[in-house]
Amino acid sequence: MSRHERLLYLAAHPLAYPFLRLVAHAGPVVRVPRLGVVVNDATLAHQVLRDTSAFRKTGPGSSGALWSPVVGSAALLNMEDADHKVMRRKLSGLFTAGYVDDLCDRVLVGPLAVLADRLASGRPVDLVDTTRICAGAVICALVGIDADEATCRRMFAHGEEITAMVRLSTKELSPTQVRTAKRVLGEITSPAAVTYESGDEKTVMGRMRELGLSKDEALGTAAALFLTGTETVATLVPRLIALLCDSGVQGRLADEPDLLDRCIEEALRVTTPSPAMLRSVAEPARIGRMKVRPGERVLIATHNCARAHGHDFDPDRVPPPELNRLWFGSGTHFCIGYPLAMAEIRALARTVTRFAPLRVVRRRYSTGVLIPTYRVLEVARA
Ligand code: HEM
């Protein structure tokens, strides 16, 4: 495993990470006190995620129980059955390839030009700051906030502040945490409400109104997009570039045009920006050989499932079919922002790697965060 990737995980979760890795060796499904039933195997993980009658995102210990007090009960990530299906259907036209490409072209053109200028001149660039600005700019554009760099950074920091309240064992937020998270989210949902009212179809809020979402549903969804779609992308890109530099693979990029896309897929596997998924057992069921009871919590250890298929970053590895992009989920809750995430990641990665070979000038790991991330990753032309 990349030494730096391991150190990133250890900095974020000094006790939980070694423990979670130990659990990986205990079998494909393991019952762990305080955590729940931990799934370490990709095939079983897909089975659990696809069985929405037995394993649900609502109920004790689920992500719904965690986030509903903050985002309301109709926010996609905490819905099931017909309500979820109807909402997904309404949103199916939201992140089309054309829309996400256009959005990224429009919103990222400024930050990417600054990035390219700096790299071209040989000066170092902190990719953490750059990707935060980009991810913040995209989310601001989605909800219709006209944002400068400082606003983008602030939005990003707000997201991080909320997700940092969650650890792998967190089952629900305390009343104080809920109040803080709601106050922080207000910075997104207040302007989002105005955009919804104005119905500007260039924004996702306006499009959600057009697609027939009520104001509450649209605001809940905006909060969900913010919580799930900012940090995931922003943490991945610096880690991807660090992996390219550390592994030496960047040296091959100029001669192999399809290599960057394979590197992105492999970096997603190795880093698993969303390292775990939660479900609540609703009816007696089995996960592999293990019987589970209603009310139990299931923790899909996505990171363990992905690492079982190789520790090192190797874009030449053919991903086994059972992995099937587990890092974006599976079944009805599969990441709705997948096309947008890939468009953002590609836009950033293509800009940076145009200046390969790069060298890492300085790096620092973040502590006290949910998603392992660099605090600083400065790169410059080698
Ligand atoms: C590298 C980037 C990303 C990764 C690794 C990622 C990963 C995931 C995963 C694993 C799930 C499923 C969770 C579960 O089933 O419990 C999910 C769902 C979701 N993601 Fe993403 N995501 C990313 C980017 C984004 C972006 C950019 C957005 C939108 C702005 C987004 C919005 C959502 C939403 C709203 C859901 C809930 C879908 C539902 O429950 O129907 N994600 N994501």
Side-chain angles (χ1 to χ4, degrees):
M1 174 179 183
S2 151
R3 186 172 75 88
H4 294 292
E5 272 298 317
R6 188 175 160 71
L7 292 173
L8 281 173
Y9 265 98
L10 284 172
H13 302 286
L15 301 176
Y17 184 66
F19 182 69
L20 196 72
R21 292 302 293 143
L22 261 183
V23 171
H25 299 292
V29 194
V30 190
R31 192 171 266 113
V32 181
R34 291 194 62 234
L35 273 188
V37 175
V38 179
V39 179
N40 298 312
D41 173 83
T43 304
L44 294 177
H46 280 289
Q47 280 168 14
V48 168
L49 296 172
R50 284 162 185 268
D51 181 353
T52 51
S53 16
F55 304 104
R56 303 177 67 84
K57 289 192 84 165
T58 50
S62 67
S63 46
L66 201 58
W67 294 118
S68 296
V70 179
V71 296
S73 55
L76 207 61
L77 54 72
N78 54 3
M79 296 166 81
E80 288 292 4
D81 305 325
D83 290 346
H84 181 257
K85 210 168 165 182
V86 170
M87 182 87 122
R88 281 290 295 222
R89 201 178 309 127
K90 282 184 188 167
L91 295 175
S92 63
L94 203 59
F95 295 123
T96 58
Y99 179 75
V100 299
D101 286 346
D102 177 59
L103 179 76
C104 289
D105 284 350
R106 219 165 8 98
V107 172
L108 300 183
V109 64
L112 292 185
V114 174
L115 170 67
D117 268 5
R118 279 194 78 103
L119 287 173
S121 69
R123 284 173 293 167
V125 174
D126 179 8
L127 289 181
V128 174
D129 188 49
T130 305
T131 50
R132 284 173 175 217
I133 292 171
C134 291
V138 168
I139 200 75
C140 286
L142 286 184
V143 296
I145 301 173
D146 201 3
D148 54 14
E149 276 193 10
T151 313
C152 294
R153 284 196 189 96
R154 205 176 66 242
M155 287 300 168
F156 187 90
H158 284 332
E160 212 174 38
E161 192 184 337
I162 299 175
T163 55
M165 293 173 182
V166 179
R167 313 311 289 165
L168 288 176
S169 57
T170 308
K171 298 204 173 73
E172 48 188 53
L173 300 177
S174 70
T176 317
Q177 287 176 318
V178 171
R179 269 197 304 278
T180 310
K182 277 185 159 172
R183 180 179 44 75
V184 172
L185 269 181
E187 286 226 29
I188 285 285
T189 49
S190 303
V194 177
T195 322
Y196 177 87
E197 295 294 354
S198 77
D200 176 356
E201 284 168 32
K202 277 220 290 298
T203 68
V204 161
M205 295 312 295
R207 294 185 73 211
M208 285 203 263
R209 182 179 168 151
E210 195 196 57
L211 292 166
L213 268 73
S214 71
K215 190 168 164 186
D216 279 351
E217 287 172 338
L219 291 182
T221 306
L225 297 180
F226 176 62
L227 286 175
T228 51
T230 327
E231 241 177 302
T232 38
V233 173
T235 54
L236 185 271
V237 174
R239 290 164 81 183
L240 160 70
I241 302 298
L243 285 166
L244 288 174
C245 294
D246 298 339
S247 63
V249 171
Q250 59 166 336
R252 294 167 43 197
L253 289 171
D255 300 326
E256 297 177 52
D258 69 330
L259 181 58
L260 184 58
D261 276 353
R262 281 191 279 128
C263 288
I264 293 173
E265 286 298 331
E266 175 66 351
L268 281 159
R269 184 190 71 79
V270 171
T271 62
T272 49
S274 194
M277 289 175 263
L278 297 173
R279 292 294 185 271
S280 182
V281 180
E283 55 189 46
R286 276 178 183 277
I287 306 177
R289 290 205 194 134
M290 185 175 292
K291 283 187 184 163
V292 291
R293 299 178 294 269
E296 278 197 286
R297 183 194 206 224
V298 178
L299 188 147
I300 310 278
T302 317
H303 183 71
N304 286 348
C305 297
R307 283 297 172 95
H309 295 270
H311 287 285
D312 297 323
F313 173 76
D314 176 6
D316 296 324
R317 189 194 325 267
V318 179
E322 62 267 32
L323 276 177
N324 196 13
R325 297 207 172 109
L326 182 64
W327 33 94
F328 282 107
S330 187
T332 54
H333 288 284
F334 184 83
C335 179
I336 198 169
Y338 169 74
L340 178 59
M342 294 308 285
E344 282 183 71
I345 295 166
R346 281 197 191 106
L348 273 149
R350 282 184 189 146
T351 305
V352 176
T353 53
R354 259 181 25 225
F355 300 93
L358 299 151
R359 68 194 160 91
V360 176
V361 178
R362 197 162 77 95
R363 69 175 111 201
R364 298 282 179 273
Y365 315 114
S366 276
T367 54
V369 284
L370 178 65
I371 302 183
T373 179
Y374 285 105
R375 184 157 56 79
V376 177
L377 185 82
E378 276 183 12
V379 299
R381 262 183 150 166

PDB file of all heavy atoms in Angstrom, residues 55-86:
ATOM      1  N   PHE A  55     -32.163  -4.321   4.016  1.00  0.00           N
ATOM      2  CA  PHE A  55     -31.091  -3.417   4.468  1.00  0.00           C
ATOM      3  C   PHE A  55     -31.415  -1.996   4.014  1.00  0.00           C
ATOM      4  O   PHE A  55     -31.411  -1.702   2.817  1.00  0.00           O
ATOM      5  CB  PHE A  55     -29.751  -3.867   3.874  1.00  0.00           C
ATOM      6  CG  PHE A  55     -29.424  -5.288   4.214  1.00  0.00           C
ATOM      7  CD1 PHE A  55     -29.563  -6.288   3.273  1.00  0.00           C
ATOM      8  CD2 PHE A  55     -29.020  -5.625   5.496  1.00  0.00           C
ATOM      9  CE1 PHE A  55     -29.294  -7.613   3.587  1.00  0.00           C
ATOM     10  CE2 PHE A  55     -28.746  -6.954   5.824  1.00  0.00           C
ATOM     11  CZ  PHE A  55     -28.880  -7.950   4.872  1.00  0.00           C
ATOM     12  N   ARG A  56     -31.677  -1.134   4.994  1.00  0.00           N
ATOM     13  CA  ARG A  56     -32.266   0.157   4.645  1.00  0.00           C
ATOM     14  C   ARG A  56     -31.433   1.343   5.115  1.00  0.00           C
ATOM     15  O   ARG A  56     -30.671   1.251   6.070  1.00  0.00           O
ATOM     16  CB  ARG A  56     -33.674   0.228   5.233  1.00  0.00           C
ATOM     17  CG  ARG A  56     -34.503  -0.941   4.713  1.00  0.00           C
ATOM     18  CD  ARG A  56     -35.868  -0.999   5.296  1.00  0.00           C
ATOM     19  NE  ARG A  56     -36.747   0.101   4.914  1.00  0.00           N
ATOM     20  CZ  ARG A  56     -37.452   0.140   3.804  1.00  0.00           C
ATOM     21  NH1 ARG A  56     -37.383  -0.827   2.938  1.00  0.00           N
ATOM     22  NH2 ARG A  56     -38.240   1.165   3.548  1.00  0.00           N
ATOM     23  N   LYS A  57     -31.650   2.454   4.407  1.00  0.00           N
ATOM     24  CA  LYS A  57     -30.954   3.689   4.790  1.00  0.00           C
ATOM     25  C   LYS A  57     -31.765   4.498   5.802  1.00  0.00           C
ATOM     26  O   LYS A  57     -31.454   5.641   6.091  1.00  0.00           O
ATOM     27  CB  LYS A  57     -30.676   4.544   3.547  1.00  0.00           C
ATOM     28  CG  LYS A  57     -29.601   3.929   2.660  1.00  0.00           C
ATOM     29  CD  LYS A  57     -29.108   4.887   1.606  1.00  0.00           C
ATOM     30  CE  LYS A  57     -28.040   5.793   2.161  1.00  0.00           C
ATOM     31  NZ  LYS A  57     -27.289   6.502   1.127  1.00  0.00           N
ATOM     32  N   THR A  58     -32.843   3.885   6.280  1.00  0.00           N
ATOM     33  CA  THR A  58     -33.595   4.496   7.372  1.00  0.00           C
ATOM     34  C   THR A  58     -33.567   3.477   8.504  1.00  0.00           C
ATOM     35  O   THR A  58     -33.310   2.306   8.265  1.00  0.00           O
ATOM     36  CB  THR A  58     -35.060   4.741   6.958  1.00  0.00           C
ATOM     37  OG1 THR A  58     -35.567   3.522   6.407  1.00  0.00           O
ATOM     38  CG2 THR A  58     -35.168   5.826   5.904  1.00  0.00           C
ATOM     39  N   GLY A  59     -33.806   3.923   9.746  1.00  0.00           N
ATOM     40  CA  GLY A  59     -33.790   2.985  10.881  1.00  0.00           C
ATOM     41  C   GLY A  59     -32.530   3.136  11.688  1.00  0.00           C
ATOM     42  O   GLY A  59     -31.597   3.843  11.275  1.00  0.00           O
ATOM     43  N   PRO A  60     -32.480   2.458  12.860  1.00  0.00           N
ATOM     44  CA  PRO A  60     -31.384   2.666  13.795  1.00  0.00           C
ATOM     45  C   PRO A  60     -30.004   2.404  13.171  1.00  0.00           C
ATOM     46  O   PRO A  60     -29.823   1.400  12.492  1.00  0.00           O
ATOM     47  CB  PRO A  60     -31.649   1.646  14.913  1.00  0.00           C
ATOM     48  CG  PRO A  60     -32.962   1.011  14.624  1.00  0.00           C
ATOM     49  CD  PRO A  60     -33.441   1.446  13.293  1.00  0.00           C
ATOM     50  N   GLY A  61     -29.081   3.342  13.383  1.00  0.00           N
ATOM     51  CA  GLY A  61     -27.691   3.141  12.935  1.00  0.00           C
ATOM     52  C   GLY A  61     -27.462   3.413  11.458  1.00  0.00           C
ATOM     53  O   GLY A  61     -26.341   3.313  10.973  1.00  0.00           O
ATOM     54  N   SER A  62     -28.499   3.769  10.706  1.00  0.00           N
ATOM     55  CA  SER A  62     -28.326   3.999   9.260  1.00  0.00           C
ATOM     56  C   SER A  62     -27.870   5.437   9.011  1.00  0.00           C
ATOM     57  O   SER A  62     -27.874   6.272   9.920  1.00  0.00           O
ATOM     58  CB  SER A  62     -29.654   3.770   8.545  1.00  0.00           C
ATOM     59  OG  SER A  62     -30.557   4.775   8.952  1.00  0.00           O
ATOM     60  N   SER A  63     -27.540   5.726   7.731  1.00  0.00           N
ATOM     61  CA  SER A  63     -27.141   7.098   7.426  1.00  0.00           C
ATOM     62  C   SER A  63     -28.334   8.041   7.547  1.00  0.00           C
ATOM     63  O   SER A  63     -28.186   9.217   7.836  1.00  0.00           O
ATOM     64  CB  SER A  63     -26.508   7.190   6.042  1.00  0.00           C
ATOM     65  OG  SER A  63     -27.284   6.486   5.114  1.00  0.00           O
ATOM     66  N   GLY A  64     -29.554   7.484   7.349  1.00  0.00           N
ATOM     67  CA  GLY A  64     -30.747   8.305   7.521  1.00  0.00           C
ATOM     68  C   GLY A  64     -30.858   8.793   8.963  1.00  0.00           C
ATOM     69  O   GLY A  64     -31.124   9.969   9.217  1.00  0.00           O
ATOM     70  N   ALA A  65     -30.645   7.859   9.916  1.00  0.00           N
ATOM     71  CA  ALA A  65     -30.738   8.229  11.331  1.00  0.00           C
ATOM     72  C   ALA A  65     -29.724   9.330  11.652  1.00  0.00           C
ATOM     73  O   ALA A  65     -29.968  10.213  12.469  1.00  0.00           O
ATOM     74  CB  ALA A  65     -30.486   7.012  12.206  1.00  0.00           C
ATOM     75  N   LEU A  66     -28.588   9.270  10.958  1.00  0.00           N
ATOM     76  CA  LEU A  66     -27.521  10.253  11.199  1.00  0.00           C
ATOM     77  C   LEU A  66     -27.896  11.624  10.636  1.00  0.00           C
ATOM     78  O   LEU A  66     -27.752  12.652  11.288  1.00  0.00           O
ATOM     79  CB  LEU A  66     -26.270   9.718  10.500  1.00  0.00           C
ATOM     80  CG  LEU A  66     -24.901  10.195  10.924  1.00  0.00           C
ATOM     81  CD1 LEU A  66     -24.663   9.911  12.380  1.00  0.00           C
ATOM     82  CD2 LEU A  66     -23.849   9.460  10.075  1.00  0.00           C
ATOM     83  N   TRP A  67     -28.408  11.629   9.393  1.00  0.00           N
ATOM     84  CA  TRP A  67     -28.551  12.917   8.694  1.00  0.00           C
ATOM     85  C   TRP A  67     -29.949  13.508   8.688  1.00  0.00           C
ATOM     86  O   TRP A  67     -30.111  14.718   8.504  1.00  0.00           O
ATOM     87  CB  TRP A  67     -28.045  12.786   7.239  1.00  0.00           C
ATOM     88  CG  TRP A  67     -26.575  12.535   7.167  1.00  0.00           C
ATOM     89  CD1 TRP A  67     -25.962  11.435   6.646  1.00  0.00           C
ATOM     90  CD2 TRP A  67     -25.515  13.373   7.666  1.00  0.00           C
ATOM     91  NE1 TRP A  67     -24.597  11.535   6.789  1.00  0.00           N
ATOM     92  CE2 TRP A  67     -24.304  12.716   7.416  1.00  0.00           C
ATOM     93  CE3 TRP A  67     -25.486  14.610   8.316  1.00  0.00           C
ATOM     94  CZ2 TRP A  67     -23.073  13.252   7.774  1.00  0.00           C
ATOM     95  CZ3 TRP A  67     -24.261  15.154   8.685  1.00  0.00           C
ATOM     96  CH2 TRP A  67     -23.075  14.473   8.411  1.00  0.00           C
ATOM     97  N   SER A  68     -30.999  12.678   8.883  1.00  0.00           N
ATOM     98  CA  SER A  68     -32.368  13.222   8.792  1.00  0.00           C
ATOM     99  C   SER A  68     -32.616  14.393   9.746  1.00  0.00           C
ATOM    100  O   SER A  68     -33.248  15.373   9.346  1.00  0.00           O
ATOM    101  CB  SER A  68     -33.412  12.127   9.027  1.00  0.00           C
ATOM    102  OG  SER A  68     -33.314  11.185   7.995  1.00  0.00           O
ATOM    103  N   PRO A  69     -32.111  14.336  11.013  1.00  0.00           N
ATOM    104  CA  PRO A  69     -32.364  15.489  11.883  1.00  0.00           C
ATOM    105  C   PRO A  69     -31.763  16.784  11.312  1.00  0.00           C
ATOM    106  O   PRO A  69     -32.187  17.881  11.655  1.00  0.00           O
ATOM    107  CB  PRO A  69     -31.651  15.112  13.199  1.00  0.00           C
ATOM    108  CG  PRO A  69     -31.511  13.632  13.158  1.00  0.00           C
ATOM    109  CD  PRO A  69     -31.383  13.260  11.718  1.00  0.00           C
ATOM    110  N   VAL A  70     -30.781  16.668  10.429  1.00  0.00           N
ATOM    111  CA  VAL A  70     -30.115  17.857   9.886  1.00  0.00           C
ATOM    112  C   VAL A  70     -30.726  18.272   8.550  1.00  0.00           C
ATOM    113  O   VAL A  70     -30.996  19.462   8.326  1.00  0.00           O
ATOM    114  CB  VAL A  70     -28.591  17.580   9.687  1.00  0.00           C
ATOM    115  CG1 VAL A  70     -27.890  18.794   9.106  1.00  0.00           C
ATOM    116  CG2 VAL A  70     -27.950  17.152  10.985  1.00  0.00           C
ATOM    117  N   VAL A  71     -30.972  17.308   7.666  1.00  0.00           N
ATOM    118  CA  VAL A  71     -31.379  17.675   6.298  1.00  0.00           C
ATOM    119  C   VAL A  71     -32.869  17.465   6.036  1.00  0.00           C
ATOM    120  O   VAL A  71     -33.352  17.747   4.948  1.00  0.00           O
ATOM    121  CB  VAL A  71     -30.572  16.886   5.230  1.00  0.00           C
ATOM    122  CG1 VAL A  71     -29.113  17.218   5.269  1.00  0.00           C
ATOM    123  CG2 VAL A  71     -30.775  15.380   5.372  1.00  0.00           C
ATOM    124  N   GLY A  72     -33.618  16.987   7.042  1.00  0.00           N
ATOM    125  CA  GLY A  72     -35.042  16.706   6.825  1.00  0.00           C
ATOM    126  C   GLY A  72     -35.208  15.285   6.297  1.00  0.00           C
ATOM    127  O   GLY A  72     -34.215  14.615   5.975  1.00  0.00           O
ATOM    128  N   SER A  73     -36.448  14.840   6.178  1.00  0.00           N
ATOM    129  CA  SER A  73     -36.647  13.415   5.883  1.00  0.00           C
ATOM    130  C   SER A  73     -36.686  13.105   4.387  1.00  0.00           C
ATOM    131  O   SER A  73     -36.699  11.952   3.988  1.00  0.00           O
ATOM    132  CB  SER A  73     -37.920  12.924   6.563  1.00  0.00           C
ATOM    133  OG  SER A  73     -38.979  13.761   6.144  1.00  0.00           O
ATOM    134  N   ALA A  74     -36.706  14.138   3.523  1.00  0.00           N
ATOM    135  CA  ALA A  74     -36.800  13.870   2.079  1.00  0.00           C
ATOM    136  C   ALA A  74     -35.552  14.375   1.370  1.00  0.00           C
ATOM    137  O   ALA A  74     -35.580  15.371   0.655  1.00  0.00           O
ATOM    138  CB  ALA A  74     -38.044  14.537   1.507  1.00  0.00           C
ATOM    139  N   ALA A  75     -34.430  13.702   1.620  1.00  0.00           N
ATOM    140  CA  ALA A  75     -33.170  14.196   1.063  1.00  0.00           C
ATOM    141  C   ALA A  75     -32.440  13.105   0.283  1.00  0.00           C
ATOM    142  O   ALA A  75     -31.213  13.093   0.241  1.00  0.00           O
ATOM    143  CB  ALA A  75     -32.270  14.734   2.173  1.00  0.00           C
ATOM    144  N   LEU A  76     -33.190  12.226  -0.349  1.00  0.00           N
ATOM    145  CA  LEU A  76     -32.631  11.194  -1.204  1.00  0.00           C
ATOM    146  C   LEU A  76     -31.795  10.171  -0.445  1.00  0.00           C
ATOM    147  O   LEU A  76     -32.083   8.991  -0.483  1.00  0.00           O
ATOM    148  CB  LEU A  76     -31.796  11.847  -2.319  1.00  0.00           C
ATOM    149  CG  LEU A  76     -31.658  11.070  -3.610  1.00  0.00           C
ATOM    150  CD1 LEU A  76     -33.017  10.827  -4.256  1.00  0.00           C
ATOM    151  CD2 LEU A  76     -30.820  11.872  -4.604  1.00  0.00           C
ATOM    152  N   LEU A  77     -30.757  10.637   0.259  1.00  0.00           N
ATOM    153  CA  LEU A  77     -29.860   9.696   0.936  1.00  0.00           C
ATOM    154  C   LEU A  77     -30.499   9.066   2.161  1.00  0.00           C
ATOM    155  O   LEU A  77     -29.905   8.204   2.801  1.00  0.00           O
ATOM    156  CB  LEU A  77     -28.523  10.360   1.284  1.00  0.00           C
ATOM    157  CG  LEU A  77     -28.493  11.660   2.082  1.00  0.00           C
ATOM    158  CD1 LEU A  77     -28.850  11.456   3.518  1.00  0.00           C
ATOM    159  CD2 LEU A  77     -27.131  12.292   1.944  1.00  0.00           C
ATOM    160  N   ASN A  78     -31.708   9.519   2.517  1.00  0.00           N
ATOM    161  CA  ASN A  78     -32.392   8.915   3.670  1.00  0.00           C
ATOM    162  C   ASN A  78     -33.808   8.482   3.292  1.00  0.00           C
ATOM    163  O   ASN A  78     -34.710   8.488   4.120  1.00  0.00           O
ATOM    164  CB  ASN A  78     -32.438   9.904   4.839  1.00  0.00           C
ATOM    165  CG  ASN A  78     -33.056  11.230   4.419  1.00  0.00           C
ATOM    166  OD1 ASN A  78     -33.493  11.389   3.286  1.00  0.00           O
ATOM    167  ND2 ASN A  78     -33.096  12.174   5.331  1.00  0.00           N
ATOM    168  N   MET A  79     -33.995   8.139   2.019  1.00  0.00           N
ATOM    169  CA  MET A  79     -35.321   7.713   1.566  1.00  0.00           C
ATOM    170  C   MET A  79     -35.250   6.273   1.054  1.00  0.00           C
ATOM    171  O   MET A  79     -34.192   5.817   0.652  1.00  0.00           O
ATOM    172  CB  MET A  79     -35.804   8.637   0.436  1.00  0.00           C
ATOM    173  CG  MET A  79     -36.005  10.064   0.888  1.00  0.00           C
ATOM    174  SD  MET A  79     -36.167  11.188  -0.497  1.00  0.00           S
ATOM    175  CE  MET A  79     -37.859  10.957  -0.954  1.00  0.00           C
ATOM    176  N   GLU A  80     -36.383   5.606   1.057  1.00  0.00           N
ATOM    177  CA  GLU A  80     -36.442   4.238   0.537  1.00  0.00           C
ATOM    178  C   GLU A  80     -37.739   4.037  -0.244  1.00  0.00           C
ATOM    179  O   GLU A  80     -38.623   4.909  -0.240  1.00  0.00           O
ATOM    180  CB  GLU A  80     -36.385   3.219   1.688  1.00  0.00           C
ATOM    181  CG  GLU A  80     -35.041   3.084   2.376  1.00  0.00           C
ATOM    182  CD  GLU A  80     -33.940   2.456   1.514  1.00  0.00           C
ATOM    183  OE1 GLU A  80     -34.166   2.180   0.328  1.00  0.00           O
ATOM    184  OE2 GLU A  80     -32.838   2.253   2.047  1.00  0.00           O
ATOM    185  N   ASP A  81     -37.880   2.879  -0.865  1.00  0.00           N
ATOM    186  CA  ASP A  81     -39.105   2.422  -1.517  1.00  0.00           C
ATOM    187  C   ASP A  81     -39.615   3.415  -2.566  1.00  0.00           C
ATOM    188  O   ASP A  81     -38.834   4.076  -3.225  1.00  0.00           O
ATOM    189  CB  ASP A  81     -40.181   2.109  -0.456  1.00  0.00           C
ATOM    190  CG  ASP A  81     -39.672   1.119   0.577  1.00  0.00           C
ATOM    191  OD1 ASP A  81     -38.898   0.228   0.195  1.00  0.00           O
ATOM    192  OD2 ASP A  81     -40.022   1.255   1.755  1.00  0.00           O
ATOM    193  N   ALA A  82     -40.966   3.544  -2.605  1.00  0.00           N
ATOM    194  CA  ALA A  82     -41.583   4.328  -3.685  1.00  0.00           C
ATOM    195  C   ALA A  82     -41.132   5.787  -3.630  1.00  0.00           C
ATOM    196  O   ALA A  82     -40.856   6.394  -4.681  1.00  0.00           O
ATOM    197  CB  ALA A  82     -43.098   4.237  -3.577  1.00  0.00           C
ATOM    198  N   ASP A  83     -41.016   6.355  -2.422  1.00  0.00           N
ATOM    199  CA  ASP A  83     -40.627   7.774  -2.304  1.00  0.00           C
ATOM    200  C   ASP A  83     -39.255   8.003  -2.947  1.00  0.00           C
ATOM    201  O   ASP A  83     -39.040   8.963  -3.682  1.00  0.00           O
ATOM    202  CB  ASP A  83     -40.520   8.194  -0.826  1.00  0.00           C
ATOM    203  CG  ASP A  83     -41.884   8.240  -0.164  1.00  0.00           C
ATOM    204  OD1 ASP A  83     -42.880   8.208  -0.905  1.00  0.00           O
ATOM    205  OD2 ASP A  83     -41.924   8.279   1.080  1.00  0.00           O
ATOM    206  N   HIS A  84     -38.334   7.070  -2.646  1.00  0.00           N
ATOM    207  CA  HIS A  84     -36.984   7.194  -3.191  1.00  0.00           C
ATOM    208  C   HIS A  84     -36.999   7.027  -4.710  1.00  0.00           C
ATOM    209  O   HIS A  84     -36.364   7.783  -5.443  1.00  0.00           O
ATOM    210  CB  HIS A  84     -36.061   6.163  -2.524  1.00  0.00           C
ATOM    211  CG  HIS A  84     -34.642   6.243  -3.005  1.00  0.00           C
ATOM    212  ND1 HIS A  84     -34.105   5.341  -3.896  1.00  0.00           N
ATOM    213  CD2 HIS A  84     -33.660   7.140  -2.757  1.00  0.00           C
ATOM    214  CE1 HIS A  84     -32.860   5.674  -4.163  1.00  0.00           C
ATOM    215  NE2 HIS A  84     -32.559   6.759  -3.483  1.00  0.00           N
ATOM    216  N   LYS A  85     -37.758   6.041  -5.153  1.00  0.00           N
ATOM    217  CA  LYS A  85     -37.834   5.750  -6.587  1.00  0.00           C
ATOM    218  C   LYS A  85     -38.370   6.957  -7.363  1.00  0.00           C
ATOM    219  O   LYS A  85     -37.800   7.354  -8.389  1.00  0.00           O
ATOM    220  CB  LYS A  85     -38.775   4.554  -6.793  1.00  0.00           C
ATOM    221  CG  LYS A  85     -38.449   3.710  -7.978  1.00  0.00           C
ATOM    222  CD  LYS A  85     -39.264   2.441  -7.878  1.00  0.00           C
ATOM    223  CE  LYS A  85     -39.258   1.717  -9.188  1.00  0.00           C
ATOM    224  NZ  LYS A  85     -40.071   0.526  -9.110  1.00  0.00           N
ATOM    225  N   VAL A  86     -39.436   7.538  -6.821  1.00  0.00           N
ATOM    226  CA  VAL A  86     -40.050   8.694  -7.497  1.00  0.00           C
ATOM    227  C   VAL A  86     -39.058   9.849  -7.553  1.00  0.00           C
ATOM    228  O   VAL A  86     -38.865  10.493  -8.591  1.00  0.00           O
ATOM    229  CB  VAL A  86     -41.351   9.125  -6.753  1.00  0.00           C
ATOM    230  CG1 VAL A  86     -41.864  10.462  -7.285  1.00  0.00           C
ATOM    231  CG2 VAL A  86     -42.403   8.056  -6.903  1.00  0.00           C
TER     232      VAL A  86
END
